[in-house]
Amino acid sequence: MVKSLEKQKKWIPKRFGFLLLPNFSLIAFSSAIEPLRMANWVSGEELYETVLISHDGEAVASSFGVQTLVNCSLANLPMLDAVCVCGASPIARTGNEAVIGWLRRQGIGPMGMGGIGTGSYILACAGLLKNTRATIHWWDLASLREEFPSTHVTNNLYEIDKNRYTCSGGTAAMDMMLFLIGKEHGMDLAASVSEQFVCERIRTSEDPQRIPLKARIGASQPKLIEAVTLMEMNIEEPLSTDDLAHHVGLSRRHLERLFKKHLQTVPSKHYLELRLEHARQLLRQSDKTILQIGLACGFTSASYFSTAYRNHYGLTPREERKREIDDPAAHSPLYQGDSVLMR
């Protein structure tokens, strides 16, 4: 076991509650709770306590039908530092009124509130994600944005905004919990926990879910998928919107309508974002010069590349690369290219 913590230090365990809703995702729940157990074992300290909760104190069936025993009901909870709602898979839009009411009442206090998978939807229903960055499984992104416009919904794996924790479910729950472990007890411990699960690296909060476009919008829009595929294949020498429309056999206006309807953007902006994302990966992962990277991503001059990059990411390519060099966390296997500090 790794003894990276001070041997003489006595920690007050942080108590996480996991509120299981009927048909909860078993893999998301396991991915969230197991890192806490492993952190205790690896450190040799009781850093975390976990409490399993259901609305009425009875066992809860997962989406696969596995019955999970709980420790208590909402009516007899012990004191908690945070509670994570493990939502139904697929999302349950009714039947959770009592849970939502309880969450709404708890939301005025200091207790952390987490949403795992569709648990984010339940938090939003309780009014706990207003003016907050949050995420949810990619299948429910559009509906969360539509129903809760005051929530800043992202396509990221997880989001941590003050004492609100949300993740997209599945194994992203593990990345989120490992991040929280690393923030509180150090990157060495979080990395050791990750290694116990044979996890190659801990993905950052900025990592997108990276679901293929076809999976997001379905197979009913082949022309749109073809246009985006052409963009991805022509990063170094970008095609004009007219050229894209010609290649896919549509008018420019029709192509723009497809982008607006299904991607909420215009072709030129989507294309620019693809090129800038590729540039960011090269800045973080290659030794190419900034000019070489700009040219490889279709920018005709260093000044144009720098301006576009700063407008999109809030810092210049040079500043991005300098942050990678100056920030020790940027080169840690724990967080590839991002600081462990919360925004």
Side-chain angles (χ1 to χ4, degrees):
M1 292 189 294
V2 175
K3 296 288 186 178
S4 59
L5 304 175
E6 298 176 23
K7 292 183 179 179
Q8 302 301 318
K9 189 165 186 177
K10 297 298 181 182
W11 296 93
I12 299 175
K14 175 167 282 191
R15 185 177 287 166
F16 272 85
F18 290 88
L19 176 54
L20 307 181
L21 302 185
N23 296 316
F24 69 94
S25 168
L26 194 59
I27 188 172
F29 166 61
S30 300
S31 296
I33 198 170
E34 279 292 311
L36 302 181
R37 178 190 67 83
M38 187 60 70
N40 291 345
W41 185 83
V42 169
S43 68
E45 301 277 353
E46 196 69 16
L47 303 179
Y48 297 100
E49 294 178 1
T50 57
V51 179
L52 305 189
I53 311 160
S54 69
H55 166 55
D56 55 6
E58 298 296 322
V60 186
S62 73
S63 58
F64 192 66
V66 176
Q67 293 280 339
T68 301
L69 299 176
V70 300
N71 302 113
C72 58
S73 69
L74 292 177
N76 60 356
L77 278 181
M79 292 294 294
L80 298 173
D81 294 292
V83 62
C84 293
V85 181
C86 300
S89 179
I91 197 169
R93 299 183 183 278
T94 60
N96 292 304
E97 291 75 17
V99 168
I100 290 169
W102 180 84
L103 288 168
R104 187 178 291 117
R105 292 190 295 273
Q106 301 304 312
I108 61 176
M111 184 166 61
M113 295 284 180
I116 296 175
T118 63
S120 302
Y121 178 80
I122 304 301
L123 293 185
C125 288
L128 301 182
L129 297 182
K130 292 180 179 178
N131 303 314
T132 299
R133 290 179 63 86
T135 191
I136 197 169
H137 191 274
W138 62 268
W139 187 262
D140 299 300
L141 282 171
S143 62
L144 189 66
R145 288 191 180 107
E146 183 177 347
E147 291 185 50
F148 303 99
S150 64
T151 299
H152 181 39
V153 181
T154 77
N155 187 39
N156 292 346
L157 286 177
Y158 62 91
E159 288 288 352
I160 298 175
D161 192 340
K162 300 184 177 66
N163 65 342
R164 298 290 184 262
Y165 323 132
T166 57
C167 75
S168 54
T171 58
M174 181 177 294
D175 296 290
M176 182 175 75
M177 300 310 287
L178 288 170
F179 174 88
L180 293 173
I181 292 169
K183 182 179 182 297
E184 186 160 4
H185 296 292
M187 292 167 52
D188 287 344
L189 175 60
S192 296
V193 172
S194 177
E195 288 174 358
Q196 290 295 324
F197 295 122
V198 199
C199 183
E200 179 186 3
R201 72 177 181 99
I202 301 175
R203 295 170 292 180
T204 73
S205 62
E206 293 183 356
D207 274 310
Q209 297 181 40
R210 296 190 184 278
I211 301 302
L213 182 63
K214 186 175 181 179
R216 283 194 286 146
I217 66 174
S220 62
Q221 299 299 325
K223 296 294 186 181
L224 178 57
I225 294 169
E226 184 181 355
V228 173
T229 302
L230 280 171
M231 290 178 177
E232 293 171 343
M233 293 173 61
N234 292 274
I235 295 292
E236 187 169 354
E237 296 182 8
L239 302 171
S240 68
T241 302
D242 287 330
D243 287 337
L244 286 168
H246 172 74
H247 283 300
V248 300
L250 298 175
S251 68
R252 176 183 177 127
R253 183 171 296 182
H254 190 178
L255 183 63
E256 289 175 339
R257 283 201 300 268
L258 287 178
F259 270 82
K260 190 68 175 178
K261 179 179 180 180
H262 297 284
L263 299 179
Q264 295 78 52
T265 188
V266 295
S268 59
K269 184 178 180 182
H270 187 79
Y271 209 165
L272 178 61
E273 289 173 351
L274 287 176
R275 291 157 54 204
L276 288 170
E277 182 181 358
H278 186 58
R280 194 181 202 189
Q281 292 174 348
L282 291 177
L283 285 166
R284 292 178 167 184
Q285 300 172 8
S286 79
D287 295 324
K288 290 184 177 181
T289 67
I290 291 174
L291 178 59
Q292 288 173 329
I293 291 172
L295 294 174
C297 296
F299 296 94
T300 55
S301 69
S303 59
Y304 175 33
F305 175 40
S306 181
T307 299
Y309 198 96
R310 184 179 63 248
N311 289 340
H312 189 66
Y313 290 116
L315 71 171
T316 65
R318 193 173 303 280
E319 290 168 342
E320 178 80 77
R321 178 156 280 178
K322 185 175 185 298
R323 186 176 70 169
E324 293 292 299
I325 296 172
D326 292 345
D327 185 0
H331 299 284
S332 165
L334 180 59
Y335 301 114
Q336 292 293 325
D338 289 274
S339 170
V340 297
L341 297 179
M342 292 170 60
R343 287 194 294 268

